[in-house]
Amino acid sequence: QVQLVESGGGLVQAGESLRLACEASGSIFSRSSMGWHRQAPGKQRELVAAITSGGSTNYADSVKGRFTISRDNAKNTVYLQMSSLKPEDTAVYFCNLNGKSWQGLNYQYWGQGTQVTVSS
């Protein structure tokens, strides 16, 4: 069983920066894809950024140029550097780990979420 623990959320003013971190337990981190999703009140959860085991990244259009996802396989940790934050970035941010086992079965795990609030 994999556990994901997020940290780094908080309250900031518009234009400021935050860095989220998500540490995974277990031994499958390095061969898994990682993602950051967010969910604002009354809205559906959406993908913010993702990074494959090989380091390829993709971003939601709304965060391109402001957010950067990275991973440190030695620390089993994925990061989301968020800059030039806007009030509309306010949401609960969730870490996601996903991949396919050696047996060909898909797996997916979620963290508990961390609140990011951006004041105007």
Side-chain angles (χ1 to χ4, degrees), residues 79-90:
Y79 303 97
L80 185 67
Q81 178 67 47
M82 305 184 293
S83 303
S84 302
L85 282 162
K86 304 175 181 180
E88 50 263 44
D89 294 318
T90 295

Side-chain angles (χ1 to χ4, degrees), residues 47-94:
L47 175 67
V48 175
I51 184 167
T52 68
S53 58
S56 298
T57 59
N58 67 281
Y59 298 91
D61 287 343
S62 59
V63 306
K64 281 181 181 176
R66 299 189 298 123
F67 290 11
T68 302
I69 188 170
S70 61
R71 63 189 298 159
D72 185 339
N73 290 339
K75 296 182 178 180
N76 273 17
T77 300
V78 63
Y79 303 97
L80 185 67
Q81 178 67 47
M82 305 184 293
S83 303
S84 302
L85 282 162
K86 304 175 181 180
E88 50 263 44
D89 294 318
T90 295
V92 178
Y93 284 70
F94 296 91

